[in-house]
Amino acid sequence: MADAPVAWLQITVETPRASLAEAVFESFDAEAVTVLDAGDDITVENTPNEQPAFVDSRITGLFTDGTRAEPIEAALREALGNEATIRTDRLENQDWASAWLAQHPPIRFGERLWIAPHNAPVEADDEAIVVRLDPGLAFGTGTHPTTALCLAWLAEADLAGKHVLDYGCGSGILAVAAARLGAASVTAVDIDDQAVRATQENAERNGVLERIQTPALDGIGERRFDIVLANILAKPLIALAPTLTAHAAPGAPLVLSGLLTRQIEDVKNAYDRAFEFAEPAVEEDWVRLNGWRHGAG
């Protein structure tokens, strides 16, 4: 086995054109690419067929020691123009890993579900369910309120033997957690190919790959599910109401997240005919709506 690099090249770019920056980093074989919010505005809400994006994004590419920064910086300038802010750093291997672990300590949801970096110690009993995520996949780690609200719901739900739809799976954290908590199968879909790959990798890492399917968005067909999850944004949730309703079996729970308190009524109105909702769960102005599908129809 080859020795781990003693240092890493980290290139960070701030731009509203995150997808182009990601493409550049991937073309230079980045070991990891993360996308975080670099601005004060929360998000740009796109249509259901477009990937949601931060208004201003901070995209970080991590490369093995010896990678030359100059060609990558030149490619970023060519793709993004001079308005992009680019920063280059050299990180010691131990410092980088320790810093990530310090920023993402294990988090517990409910009585037994833990989300933790792949090698972080977790002080939990033998009954605990520990979902391990790769440090390179910093998005979808459970720290954002929208994800945390969904994980809290999953931790308390009866998932044994259930068939779950995770619509907009991101890193796959919800799909993997559902499978680890006893779901018979999880269908995880996303418009972003990188998200689908991340879901597959995290599923394999957590020993549940055989129970998580990742078909294309149009590959679900007319199938109905026992539980439907969608952690996206308000406008796509509204536009997707007919789709998500059609995929929910009679009596199935529906869990919606990614909306703000001011958007509760608009989202509920899109689903009210088919679902009865519980009181919203709120964290830092973010909301989770969960309800139950009415009878057949």
Side-chain angles (χ1 to χ4, degrees), residues 261-292:
T261 52
R262 60 182 170 80
Q263 299 167 324
I264 291 174
E265 292 308 313
D266 288 339
V267 174
K268 283 183 66 176
N269 288 342
Y271 292 85
D272 261 349
R273 289 187 178 181
F275 294 88
E276 180 178 349
F277 286 95
E279 284 297 311
V282 180
E283 184 176 335
E284 298 179 17
D285 204 38
W286 292 97
V287 177
R288 182 195 73 221
L289 288 176
N290 51 278
W292 296 265

PDB file of all heavy atoms in Angstrom, residues 261-292:
ATOM      1  N   THR A 261     -39.062  29.335   7.659  1.00  0.00           N
ATOM      2  CA  THR A 261     -40.338  29.526   8.351  1.00  0.00           C
ATOM      3  C   THR A 261     -41.327  30.332   7.519  1.00  0.00           C
ATOM      4  O   THR A 261     -42.520  30.047   7.523  1.00  0.00           O
ATOM      5  CB  THR A 261     -40.120  30.219   9.703  1.00  0.00           C
ATOM      6  OG1 THR A 261     -39.342  31.410   9.515  1.00  0.00           O
ATOM      7  CG2 THR A 261     -39.380  29.297  10.673  1.00  0.00           C
ATOM      8  N   ARG A 262     -40.842  31.318   6.775  1.00  0.00           N
ATOM      9  CA  ARG A 262     -41.744  32.137   5.968  1.00  0.00           C
ATOM     10  C   ARG A 262     -42.316  31.381   4.766  1.00  0.00           C
ATOM     11  O   ARG A 262     -43.221  31.874   4.089  1.00  0.00           O
ATOM     12  CB  ARG A 262     -41.026  33.401   5.494  1.00  0.00           C
ATOM     13  CG  ARG A 262     -39.795  33.136   4.643  1.00  0.00           C
ATOM     14  CD  ARG A 262     -39.102  34.427   4.238  1.00  0.00           C
ATOM     15  NE  ARG A 262     -37.808  34.208   3.633  1.00  0.00           N
ATOM     16  CZ  ARG A 262     -37.598  33.856   2.388  1.00  0.00           C
ATOM     17  NH1 ARG A 262     -38.648  33.675   1.569  1.00  0.00           N
ATOM     18  NH2 ARG A 262     -36.381  33.697   1.913  1.00  0.00           N
ATOM     19  N   GLN A 263     -41.803  30.192   4.502  1.00  0.00           N
ATOM     20  CA  GLN A 263     -42.246  29.418   3.345  1.00  0.00           C
ATOM     21  C   GLN A 263     -43.146  28.243   3.728  1.00  0.00           C
ATOM     22  O   GLN A 263     -43.580  27.483   2.860  1.00  0.00           O
ATOM     23  CB  GLN A 263     -41.013  28.890   2.592  1.00  0.00           C
ATOM     24  CG  GLN A 263     -40.111  29.992   2.064  1.00  0.00           C
ATOM     25  CD  GLN A 263     -38.760  29.477   1.595  1.00  0.00           C
ATOM     26  OE1 GLN A 263     -38.208  28.551   2.187  1.00  0.00           O
ATOM     27  NE2 GLN A 263     -38.226  30.082   0.543  1.00  0.00           N
ATOM     28  N   ILE A 264     -43.467  28.122   5.013  1.00  0.00           N
ATOM     29  CA  ILE A 264     -44.242  26.964   5.482  1.00  0.00           C
ATOM     30  C   ILE A 264     -45.583  26.851   4.772  1.00  0.00           C
ATOM     31  O   ILE A 264     -45.937  25.786   4.243  1.00  0.00           O
ATOM     32  CB  ILE A 264     -44.450  27.037   7.009  1.00  0.00           C
ATOM     33  CG1 ILE A 264     -43.133  26.810   7.740  1.00  0.00           C
ATOM     34  CG2 ILE A 264     -45.489  26.000   7.459  1.00  0.00           C
ATOM     35  CD1 ILE A 264     -43.225  27.003   9.249  1.00  0.00           C
ATOM     36  N   GLU A 265     -46.345  27.925   4.748  1.00  0.00           N
ATOM     37  CA  GLU A 265     -47.693  27.851   4.196  1.00  0.00           C
ATOM     38  C   GLU A 265     -47.678  27.552   2.707  1.00  0.00           C
ATOM     39  O   GLU A 265     -48.520  26.793   2.208  1.00  0.00           O
ATOM     40  CB  GLU A 265     -48.451  29.137   4.485  1.00  0.00           C
ATOM     41  CG  GLU A 265     -48.773  29.337   5.959  1.00  0.00           C
ATOM     42  CD  GLU A 265     -49.477  28.132   6.569  1.00  0.00           C
ATOM     43  OE1 GLU A 265     -50.439  27.616   5.944  1.00  0.00           O
ATOM     44  OE2 GLU A 265     -49.062  27.684   7.653  1.00  0.00           O
ATOM     45  N   ASP A 266     -46.731  28.138   1.982  1.00  0.00           N
ATOM     46  CA  ASP A 266     -46.658  27.891   0.537  1.00  0.00           C
ATOM     47  C   ASP A 266     -46.377  26.420   0.252  1.00  0.00           C
ATOM     48  O   ASP A 266     -46.979  25.827  -0.660  1.00  0.00           O
ATOM     49  CB  ASP A 266     -45.570  28.761  -0.102  1.00  0.00           C
ATOM     50  CG  ASP A 266     -45.955  30.231  -0.157  1.00  0.00           C
ATOM     51  OD1 ASP A 266     -47.164  30.525  -0.079  1.00  0.00           O
ATOM     52  OD2 ASP A 266     -45.051  31.077  -0.279  1.00  0.00           O
ATOM     53  N   VAL A 267     -45.467  25.832   1.012  1.00  0.00           N
ATOM     54  CA  VAL A 267     -45.138  24.426   0.786  1.00  0.00           C
ATOM     55  C   VAL A 267     -46.297  23.538   1.229  1.00  0.00           C
ATOM     56  O   VAL A 267     -46.705  22.614   0.506  1.00  0.00           O
ATOM     57  CB  VAL A 267     -43.835  24.043   1.522  1.00  0.00           C
ATOM     58  CG1 VAL A 267     -43.574  22.541   1.404  1.00  0.00           C
ATOM     59  CG2 VAL A 267     -42.658  24.827   0.954  1.00  0.00           C
ATOM     60  N   LYS A 268     -46.863  23.809   2.391  1.00  0.00           N
ATOM     61  CA  LYS A 268     -47.993  23.007   2.865  1.00  0.00           C
ATOM     62  C   LYS A 268     -49.157  23.050   1.884  1.00  0.00           C
ATOM     63  O   LYS A 268     -49.810  22.034   1.628  1.00  0.00           O
ATOM     64  CB  LYS A 268     -48.447  23.491   4.238  1.00  0.00           C
ATOM     65  CG  LYS A 268     -47.561  23.056   5.385  1.00  0.00           C
ATOM     66  CD  LYS A 268     -48.125  23.516   6.722  1.00  0.00           C
ATOM     67  CE  LYS A 268     -49.444  22.830   7.032  1.00  0.00           C
ATOM     68  NZ  LYS A 268     -49.949  23.214   8.370  1.00  0.00           N
ATOM     69  N   ASN A 269     -49.423  24.233   1.337  1.00  0.00           N
ATOM     70  CA  ASN A 269     -50.550  24.369   0.403  1.00  0.00           C
ATOM     71  C   ASN A 269     -50.388  23.483  -0.827  1.00  0.00           C
ATOM     72  O   ASN A 269     -51.373  23.058  -1.437  1.00  0.00           O
ATOM     73  CB  ASN A 269     -50.712  25.829  -0.019  1.00  0.00           C
ATOM     74  CG  ASN A 269     -51.263  26.695   1.089  1.00  0.00           C
ATOM     75  OD1 ASN A 269     -51.840  26.188   2.051  1.00  0.00           O
ATOM     76  ND2 ASN A 269     -51.065  28.001   0.985  1.00  0.00           N
ATOM     77  N   ALA A 270     -49.129  23.208  -1.212  1.00  0.00           N
ATOM     78  CA  ALA A 270     -48.889  22.370  -2.384  1.00  0.00           C
ATOM     79  C   ALA A 270     -49.206  20.903  -2.115  1.00  0.00           C
ATOM     80  O   ALA A 270     -49.420  20.127  -3.049  1.00  0.00           O
ATOM     81  CB  ALA A 270     -47.434  22.516  -2.837  1.00  0.00           C
ATOM     82  N   TYR A 271     -49.239  20.503  -0.826  1.00  0.00           N
ATOM     83  CA  TYR A 271     -49.420  19.103  -0.459  1.00  0.00           C
ATOM     84  C   TYR A 271     -50.693  18.842   0.345  1.00  0.00           C
ATOM     85  O   TYR A 271     -51.024  17.687   0.611  1.00  0.00           O
ATOM     86  CB  TYR A 271     -48.215  18.624   0.372  1.00  0.00           C
ATOM     87  CG  TYR A 271     -46.927  18.534  -0.398  1.00  0.00           C
ATOM     88  CD1 TYR A 271     -46.112  19.658  -0.565  1.00  0.00           C
ATOM     89  CD2 TYR A 271     -46.506  17.337  -0.959  1.00  0.00           C
ATOM     90  CE1 TYR A 271     -44.919  19.582  -1.262  1.00  0.00           C
ATOM     91  CE2 TYR A 271     -45.317  17.246  -1.656  1.00  0.00           C
ATOM     92  CZ  TYR A 271     -44.525  18.376  -1.812  1.00  0.00           C
ATOM     93  OH  TYR A 271     -43.344  18.302  -2.509  1.00  0.00           O
ATOM     94  N   ASP A 272     -51.396  19.892   0.740  1.00  0.00           N
ATOM     95  CA  ASP A 272     -52.507  19.757   1.694  1.00  0.00           C
ATOM     96  C   ASP A 272     -53.604  18.789   1.256  1.00  0.00           C
ATOM     97  O   ASP A 272     -54.222  18.124   2.082  1.00  0.00           O
ATOM     98  CB  ASP A 272     -53.127  21.135   1.984  1.00  0.00           C
ATOM     99  CG  ASP A 272     -52.607  21.708   3.294  1.00  0.00           C
ATOM    100  OD1 ASP A 272     -51.952  20.956   4.040  1.00  0.00           O
ATOM    101  OD2 ASP A 272     -52.849  22.893   3.564  1.00  0.00           O
ATOM    102  N   ARG A 273     -53.869  18.708  -0.030  1.00  0.00           N
ATOM    103  CA  ARG A 273     -54.959  17.840  -0.485  1.00  0.00           C
ATOM    104  C   ARG A 273     -54.663  16.369  -0.247  1.00  0.00           C
ATOM    105  O   ARG A 273     -55.575  15.562  -0.094  1.00  0.00           O
ATOM    106  CB  ARG A 273     -55.241  18.080  -1.972  1.00  0.00           C
ATOM    107  CG  ARG A 273     -55.890  19.419  -2.273  1.00  0.00           C
ATOM    108  CD  ARG A 273     -56.286  19.487  -3.732  1.00  0.00           C
ATOM    109  NE  ARG A 273     -56.959  20.746  -4.048  1.00  0.00           N
ATOM    110  CZ  ARG A 273     -57.436  21.067  -5.243  1.00  0.00           C
ATOM    111  NH1 ARG A 273     -57.296  20.200  -6.258  1.00  0.00           N
ATOM    112  NH2 ARG A 273     -58.022  22.219  -5.447  1.00  0.00           N
ATOM    113  N   ALA A 274     -53.393  16.031  -0.237  1.00  0.00           N
ATOM    114  CA  ALA A 274     -53.024  14.615  -0.142  1.00  0.00           C
ATOM    115  C   ALA A 274     -52.441  14.228   1.210  1.00  0.00           C
ATOM    116  O   ALA A 274     -52.359  13.038   1.521  1.00  0.00           O
ATOM    117  CB  ALA A 274     -52.022  14.257  -1.240  1.00  0.00           C
ATOM    118  N   PHE A 275     -52.042  15.212   2.038  1.00  0.00           N
ATOM    119  CA  PHE A 275     -51.342  14.908   3.280  1.00  0.00           C
ATOM    120  C   PHE A 275     -51.916  15.691   4.449  1.00  0.00           C
ATOM    121  O   PHE A 275     -52.405  16.810   4.290  1.00  0.00           O
ATOM    122  CB  PHE A 275     -49.842  15.240   3.160  1.00  0.00           C
ATOM    123  CG  PHE A 275     -49.098  14.381   2.185  1.00  0.00           C
ATOM    124  CD1 PHE A 275     -49.020  14.734   0.848  1.00  0.00           C
ATOM    125  CD2 PHE A 275     -48.469  13.215   2.603  1.00  0.00           C
ATOM    126  CE1 PHE A 275     -48.342  13.945  -0.067  1.00  0.00           C
ATOM    127  CE2 PHE A 275     -47.792  12.421   1.693  1.00  0.00           C
ATOM    128  CZ  PHE A 275     -47.723  12.777   0.362  1.00  0.00           C
ATOM    129  N   GLU A 276     -51.819  15.078   5.602  1.00  0.00           N
ATOM    130  CA  GLU A 276     -52.099  15.759   6.862  1.00  0.00           C
ATOM    131  C   GLU A 276     -50.766  15.978   7.566  1.00  0.00           C
ATOM    132  O   GLU A 276     -49.987  15.032   7.735  1.00  0.00           O
ATOM    133  CB  GLU A 276     -53.031  14.924   7.742  1.00  0.00           C
ATOM    134  CG  GLU A 276     -53.353  15.574   9.076  1.00  0.00           C
ATOM    135  CD  GLU A 276     -54.303  14.742   9.904  1.00  0.00           C
ATOM    136  OE1 GLU A 276     -54.866  13.767   9.345  1.00  0.00           O
ATOM    137  OE2 GLU A 276     -54.463  15.035  11.086  1.00  0.00           O
ATOM    138  N   PHE A 277     -50.499  17.211   7.999  1.00  0.00           N
ATOM    139  CA  PHE A 277     -49.185  17.549   8.550  1.00  0.00           C
ATOM    140  C   PHE A 277     -49.220  17.718  10.060  1.00  0.00           C
ATOM    141  O   PHE A 277     -50.199  18.210  10.634  1.00  0.00           O
ATOM    142  CB  PHE A 277     -48.655  18.841   7.913  1.00  0.00           C
ATOM    143  CG  PHE A 277     -48.172  18.662   6.503  1.00  0.00           C
ATOM    144  CD1 PHE A 277     -49.017  18.925   5.433  1.00  0.00           C
ATOM    145  CD2 PHE A 277     -46.896  18.214   6.242  1.00  0.00           C
ATOM    146  CE1 PHE A 277     -48.584  18.750   4.128  1.00  0.00           C
ATOM    147  CE2 PHE A 277     -46.450  18.034   4.941  1.00  0.00           C
ATOM    148  CZ  PHE A 277     -47.303  18.305   3.880  1.00  0.00           C
ATOM    149  N   ALA A 278     -48.126  17.330  10.688  1.00  0.00           N
ATOM    150  CA  ALA A 278     -47.911  17.598  12.101  1.00  0.00           C
ATOM    151  C   ALA A 278     -47.393  19.032  12.250  1.00  0.00           C
ATOM    152  O   ALA A 278     -47.159  19.738  11.252  1.00  0.00           O
ATOM    153  CB  ALA A 278     -46.902  16.598  12.670  1.00  0.00           C
ATOM    154  N   GLU A 279     -47.187  19.463  13.485  1.00  0.00           N
ATOM    155  CA  GLU A 279     -46.611  20.790  13.712  1.00  0.00           C
ATOM    156  C   GLU A 279     -45.200  20.840  13.122  1.00  0.00           C
ATOM    157  O   GLU A 279     -44.427  19.880  13.255  1.00  0.00           O
ATOM    158  CB  GLU A 279     -46.547  21.095  15.205  1.00  0.00           C
ATOM    159  CG  GLU A 279     -47.885  21.464  15.818  1.00  0.00           C
ATOM    160  CD  GLU A 279     -48.445  22.751  15.228  1.00  0.00           C
ATOM    161  OE1 GLU A 279     -47.694  23.744  15.157  1.00  0.00           O
ATOM    162  OE2 GLU A 279     -49.623  22.766  14.830  1.00  0.00           O
ATOM    163  N   PRO A 280     -44.843  21.948  12.467  1.00  0.00           N
ATOM    164  CA  PRO A 280     -43.495  22.041  11.893  1.00  0.00           C
ATOM    165  C   PRO A 280     -42.426  21.954  12.975  1.00  0.00           C
ATOM    166  O   PRO A 280     -42.618  22.422  14.100  1.00  0.00           O
ATOM    167  CB  PRO A 280     -43.493  23.423  11.226  1.00  0.00           C
ATOM    168  CG  PRO A 280     -44.930  23.779  11.041  1.00  0.00           C
ATOM    169  CD  PRO A 280     -45.658  23.142  12.176  1.00  0.00           C
ATOM    170  N   ALA A 281     -41.299  21.370  12.618  1.00  0.00           N
ATOM    171  CA  ALA A 281     -40.119  21.374  13.483  1.00  0.00           C
ATOM    172  C   ALA A 281     -39.173  22.448  12.960  1.00  0.00           C
ATOM    173  O   ALA A 281     -38.908  22.508  11.751  1.00  0.00           O
ATOM    174  CB  ALA A 281     -39.440  20.006  13.470  1.00  0.00           C
ATOM    175  N   VAL A 282     -38.672  23.306  13.830  1.00  0.00           N
ATOM    176  CA  VAL A 282     -37.893  24.470  13.409  1.00  0.00           C
ATOM    177  C   VAL A 282     -36.536  24.465  14.105  1.00  0.00           C
ATOM    178  O   VAL A 282     -36.437  24.190  15.305  1.00  0.00           O
ATOM    179  CB  VAL A 282     -38.637  25.786  13.739  1.00  0.00           C
ATOM    180  CG1 VAL A 282     -37.811  26.994  13.293  1.00  0.00           C
ATOM    181  CG2 VAL A 282     -40.008  25.800  13.075  1.00  0.00           C
ATOM    182  N   GLU A 283     -35.497  24.769  13.333  1.00  0.00           N
ATOM    183  CA  GLU A 283     -34.148  24.945  13.873  1.00  0.00           C
ATOM    184  C   GLU A 283     -33.454  26.046  13.084  1.00  0.00           C
ATOM    185  O   GLU A 283     -33.277  25.928  11.864  1.00  0.00           O
ATOM    186  CB  GLU A 283     -33.352  23.635  13.780  1.00  0.00           C
ATOM    187  CG  GLU A 283     -31.969  23.728  14.412  1.00  0.00           C
ATOM    188  CD  GLU A 283     -31.228  22.405  14.405  1.00  0.00           C
ATOM    189  OE1 GLU A 283     -31.893  21.348  14.362  1.00  0.00           O
ATOM    190  OE2 GLU A 283     -29.985  22.433  14.433  1.00  0.00           O
ATOM    191  N   GLU A 284     -33.091  27.124  13.781  1.00  0.00           N
ATOM    192  CA  GLU A 284     -32.389  28.259  13.162  1.00  0.00           C
ATOM    193  C   GLU A 284     -33.136  28.789  11.932  1.00  0.00           C
ATOM    194  O   GLU A 284     -32.527  29.084  10.911  1.00  0.00           O
ATOM    195  CB  GLU A 284     -30.962  27.860  12.792  1.00  0.00           C
ATOM    196  CG  GLU A 284     -30.100  27.468  13.969  1.00  0.00           C
ATOM    197  CD  GLU A 284     -28.705  27.060  13.544  1.00  0.00           C
ATOM    198  OE1 GLU A 284     -28.303  27.381  12.405  1.00  0.00           O
ATOM    199  OE2 GLU A 284     -28.018  26.422  14.355  1.00  0.00           O
ATOM    200  N   ASP A 285     -34.451  28.903  12.026  1.00  0.00           N
ATOM    201  CA  ASP A 285     -35.318  29.411  10.971  1.00  0.00           C
ATOM    202  C   ASP A 285     -35.529  28.423   9.827  1.00  0.00           C
ATOM    203  O   ASP A 285     -36.298  28.682   8.911  1.00  0.00           O
ATOM    204  CB  ASP A 285     -34.800  30.751  10.405  1.00  0.00           C
ATOM    205  CG  ASP A 285     -35.922  31.565   9.775  1.00  0.00           C
ATOM    206  OD1 ASP A 285     -37.044  31.555  10.321  1.00  0.00           O
ATOM    207  OD2 ASP A 285     -35.686  32.211   8.734  1.00  0.00           O
ATOM    208  N   TRP A 286     -34.855  27.270   9.851  1.00  0.00           N
ATOM    209  CA  TRP A 286     -35.109  26.208   8.896  1.00  0.00           C
ATOM    210  C   TRP A 286     -36.204  25.302   9.438  1.00  0.00           C
ATOM    211  O   TRP A 286     -36.359  25.143  10.653  1.00  0.00           O
ATOM    212  CB  TRP A 286     -33.846  25.396   8.615  1.00  0.00           C
ATOM    213  CG  TRP A 286     -32.792  26.143   7.884  1.00  0.00           C
ATOM    214  CD1 TRP A 286     -31.713  26.775   8.423  1.00  0.00           C
ATOM    215  CD2 TRP A 286     -32.715  26.362   6.479  1.00  0.00           C
ATOM    216  NE1 TRP A 286     -30.964  27.366   7.434  1.00  0.00           N
ATOM    217  CE2 TRP A 286     -31.547  27.128   6.230  1.00  0.00           C
ATOM    218  CE3 TRP A 286     -33.510  25.974   5.403  1.00  0.00           C
ATOM    219  CZ2 TRP A 286     -31.169  27.516   4.952  1.00  0.00           C
ATOM    220  CZ3 TRP A 286     -33.125  26.362   4.118  1.00  0.00           C
ATOM    221  CH2 TRP A 286     -31.968  27.123   3.910  1.00  0.00           C
ATOM    222  N   VAL A 287     -36.946  24.679   8.527  1.00  0.00           N
ATOM    223  CA  VAL A 287     -38.154  23.953   8.914  1.00  0.00           C
ATOM    224  C   VAL A 287     -38.165  22.541   8.333  1.00  0.00           C
ATOM    225  O   VAL A 287     -37.709  22.322   7.206  1.00  0.00           O
ATOM    226  CB  VAL A 287     -39.412  24.701   8.420  1.00  0.00           C
ATOM    227  CG1 VAL A 287     -40.680  23.921   8.743  1.00  0.00           C
ATOM    228  CG2 VAL A 287     -39.473  26.091   9.036  1.00  0.00           C
ATOM    229  N   ARG A 288     -38.688  21.613   9.131  1.00  0.00           N
ATOM    230  CA  ARG A 288     -39.042  20.293   8.620  1.00  0.00           C
ATOM    231  C   ARG A 288     -40.550  20.138   8.726  1.00  0.00           C
ATOM    232  O   ARG A 288     -41.136  20.373   9.778  1.00  0.00           O
ATOM    233  CB  ARG A 288     -38.377  19.192   9.456  1.00  0.00           C
ATOM    234  CG  ARG A 288     -38.674  17.763   8.924  1.00  0.00           C
ATOM    235  CD  ARG A 288     -38.317  16.706   9.951  1.00  0.00           C
ATOM    236  NE  ARG A 288     -39.258  16.668  11.062  1.00  0.00           N
ATOM    237  CZ  ARG A 288     -38.899  16.507  12.338  1.00  0.00           C
ATOM    238  NH1 ARG A 288     -37.640  16.370  12.678  1.00  0.00           N
ATOM    239  NH2 ARG A 288     -39.826  16.481  13.278  1.00  0.00           N
ATOM    240  N   LEU A 289     -41.167  19.777   7.599  1.00  0.00           N
ATOM    241  CA  LEU A 289     -42.582  19.443   7.588  1.00  0.00           C
ATOM    242  C   LEU A 289     -42.710  17.933   7.438  1.00  0.00           C
ATOM    243  O   LEU A 289     -42.111  17.352   6.525  1.00  0.00           O
ATOM    244  CB  LEU A 289     -43.300  20.116   6.412  1.00  0.00           C
ATOM    245  CG  LEU A 289     -43.516  21.631   6.498  1.00  0.00           C
ATOM    246  CD1 LEU A 289     -44.147  22.124   5.195  1.00  0.00           C
ATOM    247  CD2 LEU A 289     -44.405  22.001   7.674  1.00  0.00           C
ATOM    248  N   ASN A 290     -43.437  17.299   8.312  1.00  0.00           N
ATOM    249  CA  ASN A 290     -43.711  15.882   8.111  1.00  0.00           C
ATOM    250  C   ASN A 290     -45.208  15.613   8.258  1.00  0.00           C
ATOM    251  O   ASN A 290     -45.885  16.180   9.113  1.00  0.00           O
ATOM    252  CB  ASN A 290     -42.896  14.992   9.056  1.00  0.00           C
ATOM    253  CG  ASN A 290     -42.989  15.388  10.508  1.00  0.00           C
ATOM    254  OD1 ASN A 290     -42.286  16.301  10.930  1.00  0.00           O
ATOM    255  ND2 ASN A 290     -43.819  14.690  11.260  1.00  0.00           N
ATOM    256  N   GLY A 291     -45.699  14.811   7.342  1.00  0.00           N
ATOM    257  CA  GLY A 291     -47.117  14.502   7.320  1.00  0.00           C
ATOM    258  C   GLY A 291     -47.350  13.071   6.900  1.00  0.00           C
ATOM    259  O   GLY A 291     -46.404  12.278   6.757  1.00  0.00           O
ATOM    260  N   TRP A 292     -48.633  12.730   6.685  1.00  0.00           N
ATOM    261  CA  TRP A 292     -49.010  11.368   6.329  1.00  0.00           C
ATOM    262  C   TRP A 292     -49.957  11.407   5.148  1.00  0.00           C
ATOM    263  O   TRP A 292     -50.883  12.226   5.100  1.00  0.00           O
ATOM    264  CB  TRP A 292     -49.699  10.678   7.516  1.00  0.00           C
ATOM    265  CG  TRP A 292     -48.763  10.522   8.675  1.00  0.00           C
ATOM    266  CD1 TRP A 292     -48.006   9.436   8.983  1.00  0.00           C
ATOM    267  CD2 TRP A 292     -48.470  11.503   9.668  1.00  0.00           C
ATOM    268  NE1 TRP A 292     -47.253   9.678  10.100  1.00  0.00           N
ATOM    269  CE2 TRP A 292     -47.539  10.936  10.557  1.00  0.00           C
ATOM    270  CE3 TRP A 292     -48.926  12.817   9.906  1.00  0.00           C
ATOM    271  CZ2 TRP A 292     -47.024  11.628  11.652  1.00  0.00           C
ATOM    272  CZ3 TRP A 292     -48.412  13.508  10.997  1.00  0.00           C
ATOM    273  CH2 TRP A 292     -47.480  12.905  11.860  1.00  0.00           C
TER     274      TRP A 292
END
